[in-house]
Every structure is written in structure tokens, then in C-alpha cells.
Amino acid sequence: MFKTTKDATLSPSLPTELSTCTSRPCEFNTECCNRATESSNTFCSKSVTGNDQKSNDCSGKPQNGGTSKACDSAETEAIHNIINTTKQSMNCNFMDLAINVVNMNSVPRHGHVQITAPKVSNKTQSVQTWIPVEAFQNVSDDKQKVGIVTYNSIQQFNTKNVSIMSDVIRIEVFGRDIVNLTNPLIIHFPVNNYTNLSSNSYIYSCQYYDEKGNNTWKDDGCNTTQISDDVVECSCDHMTAFAVLLVELENFDGKHWEILSYISYVGCGLSAVFSASSVLLFIFNRCCNLHYI
């Protein structure tokens, strides 16, 4: 397993609090978020030098979707700048999130590299990731770095009628959108247990947060495998923010119903074959017994 254990002291070009230049607490307040968006363009250079102190007392909620997108954009830009500025593998634990930056230019040139996602605090769980090496082939050295981000809170990603059952993990590569992977990104999420007190059926679903679309959770490009009662494996063909959601079966789209229908047809077919075989075997045995009487 490839490990990154070095905790580095941030250089002057990095912020001491990511929240001074991103949306983390500032997602809750339009004015604070606007400051975050503006400051992210210079990567909080004023905040780092101490010339511009920004308040972290951000209460209330974003007023519209445009504000939310501005917050997400500011946050992503700051994360990409951290990845780009980091010269070697390191771990940074901020107030609102933690990030592991791993230099992939010294790893095997095929398969996956296992990296443990960073923990922000004792309340965040240990998440294992397997990063496909193919995303870092045939690119310049400055683009052979990956950032694995763990959020201290899932509140930013709680959209309407969504139940997030795991930590939110973001996988980012500087300056590139990683999509259509042949070898998928794999994440093992510890999940929260739940008690179903309704008559509806629920299952875990690996999904990604669509920041470039309408800021909702989607599952295209991701497959879900529950490998134990409290661990879900997600395999996805792209890199962004991921989590495990609890979804109601009746809310599944046509693709999922088609898959479930095929499984049902196969099960019913096998049941019919074995039932017919049992009847024929019974008749055959009965005939043989009559023949010897």
C-alpha cells in the first residue's frame, strides 16, 4: 500500500485556513461567500500575508443557486491551487477539511495506488481509496499529483430529499477533468447504519455531487457494491466529490429498474426450470416404482 504520512508545514503561499478563501463556513452567507469567491482568484494572498483579515462568522444560507455555484467554484479553485503549489506528497489538516496531496510520478505505471483519505477530526471515518494510475500517464510532472479531500461536515452537500450515509470524499487532479476511466476509481466508504421504520425499501447508492450541473447528487458512471454491513464499495469512471446515499427503491430511474427486472427474470426462469425438473423427476420415479410392482 502506498502511504503518505508526512505532515508538512504550509509554505507562505498557502493559506493557514482554507475557509478564508473558500466556501466552507462561507457557504452559509452570501456576503461571506462573495468574499471567498473574490479572494480565491488570488489564492488568498492578502489573507496569507495578514493584510486582509476575513471573518469566519458566517451564518444563514446561500440565497440562490448562483451563490452556491460561486462557493463551489471558489472551493475547487483553492483545492487545485493547493495541489499545484505542493511540491511533494503531504497532508494538510485545515479547520473545515483535510487534504492529502500525493505525487504519482514515483508509483507503478499500471493498476491502482491505495491511499487512505485524510481525517479532519475524530468524527470523520477512515476511507480507503484506490487511485487508477492511468489518469497520470503521458502527462507532465506538474500534473502527476492527486488530492484526496475529506470534509468535516456534509452540510454543504445536503440537498433536498437527500440522506448522506457516509463522509464526503473529493478526488481532484490539478488543471484536468478526469473522466471515462478504463480502470475505475475505487472508494471503500464506512456507512452509517439505519433503521427502516417505514414500509418502503431503501438501499445504499454510490453517487457524485454534480457541481458543474445543477448541484445535485447523481449516480451515472458509478457502481455500488455492499461488501459488508458497514462498508460500501464505490467504483466510478471519473473524479469529483463522492458519498454514499440512502435511496428509496421506488425512486430508481429506468436504468436501475431494467437491471432489477433482468435479475427478476433470471431468478424466475431458474425457479421454473428447477420446479419443472422436480415434477419430471417425481413422475419418473413413480413410473419406475409402478413398473416393479
Side-chain angles (χ1 to χ4, degrees):
M1 180 176 69
F2 186 83
K3 297 181 179 179
T4 57
T5 57
K6 182 176 181 180
D7 290 329
T9 301
L10 295 182
S11 67
S13 61
L14 295 176
T16 56
E17 289 183 358
L18 190 63
S19 57
T20 62
C21 59
T22 66
S23 66
R24 285 306 305 140
C26 301
E27 85 228 33
F28 304 118
N29 181 276
T30 302
E31 180 182 356
C32 193
C33 183
N34 288 338
R35 290 201 304 269
T37 307
E38 180 181 359
S39 62
S40 72
N41 293 329
T42 58
F43 197 48
C44 302
S45 58
K46 292 184 180 180
S47 298
V48 173
T49 58
N51 295 329
D52 185 17
Q53 299 297 322
K54 292 181 171 52
S55 170
N56 291 325
D57 182 18
C58 304
S59 58
K61 276 206 165 188
Q63 301 301 310
N64 53 60
T67 299
S68 178
K69 281 187 176 296
C71 288
D72 292 335
S73 177
E75 180 179 276
T76 302
E77 183 173 351
I79 290 172
H80 277 224
N81 274 299
I82 292 174
I83 297 172
N84 183 44
T85 307
T86 302
K87 301 304 181 183
Q88 57 183 337
S89 298
M90 61 182 286
N91 179 288
C92 299
N93 195 331
F94 298 97
M95 179 176 61
D96 303 300
L97 57 82
I99 179 171
N100 264 355
V101 179
V102 179
N103 197 325
M104 301 287 284
N105 61 7
S106 59
V107 302
R109 305 314 299 169
H110 62 278
H112 292 77
V113 174
Q114 183 179 355
I115 304 173
T116 301
K119 295 188 67 174
V120 187
S121 63
N122 290 332
K123 74 176 184 178
T124 56
Q125 304 183 71
S126 179
V127 178
Q128 297 296 324
T129 70
W130 283 263
I131 309 298
V133 174
E134 70 172 86
F136 306 94
Q137 295 177 344
N138 302 319
V139 296
S140 58
D141 289 344
D142 62 322
K143 294 185 177 180
Q144 292 190 15
K145 291 176 289 187
V146 61
I148 300 96
V149 178
T150 304
Y151 290 91
N152 194 38
S153 171
I154 63 174
Q155 189 168 5
Q156 172 186 354
F157 303 95
N158 262 328
T159 58
K160 186 178 180 181
N161 298 325
V162 164
S163 297
I164 301 176
M165 303 300 288
S166 69
D167 291 333
V168 177
I169 301 296
R170 178 187 294 277
I171 314 292
E172 292 285 349
V173 173
F174 172 72
R176 294 185 292 146
D177 290 331
I178 305 300
V179 296
N180 300 322
L181 290 166
T182 303
N183 296 313
L185 165 71
I186 299 173
I187 308 174
H188 282 189
F189 281 105
V191 292
N192 301 323
N193 294 322
Y194 69 95
T195 301
N196 188 3
L197 300 178
S198 71
S199 59
N200 299 327
S201 297
Y202 297 88
I203 64 170
Y204 293 120
S205 174
C206 295
Q207 300 198 16
Y208 70 96
Y209 191 67
D210 185 17
E211 295 171 323
K212 295 186 177 180
N214 54 359
N215 286 72
T216 58
W217 288 95
K218 298 182 179 179
D219 65 353
D220 47 293
C222 289
N223 293 318
T224 306
T225 304
Q226 187 166 354
I227 59 178
S228 69
D229 289 341
D230 55 1
V231 177
V232 170
E233 178 182 276
C234 299
S235 57
C236 302
D237 65 0
H238 56 286
M239 295 184 182
T240 184
F242 300 96
V244 176
L245 275 58
L246 189 67
V247 297
E248 189 176 345
L249 279 174
E250 69 179 21
N251 289 333
F252 268 25
D253 58 24
K255 178 186 69 175
H256 292 96
W257 279 120
E258 183 179 359
I259 294 173
L260 291 175
S261 297
Y262 287 145
I263 295 174
S264 299
Y265 294 152
V266 172
C268 291
L270 291 175
S271 178
V273 170
F274 287 119
S275 297
S277 300
S278 299
V279 172
L280 292 175
L281 183 61
F282 173 78
I283 295 174
F284 177 77
N285 288 335
R286 184 175 177 84
C287 291
C288 289
N289 292 335
L290 292 174
H291 177 74
Y292 288 106
I293 293 176

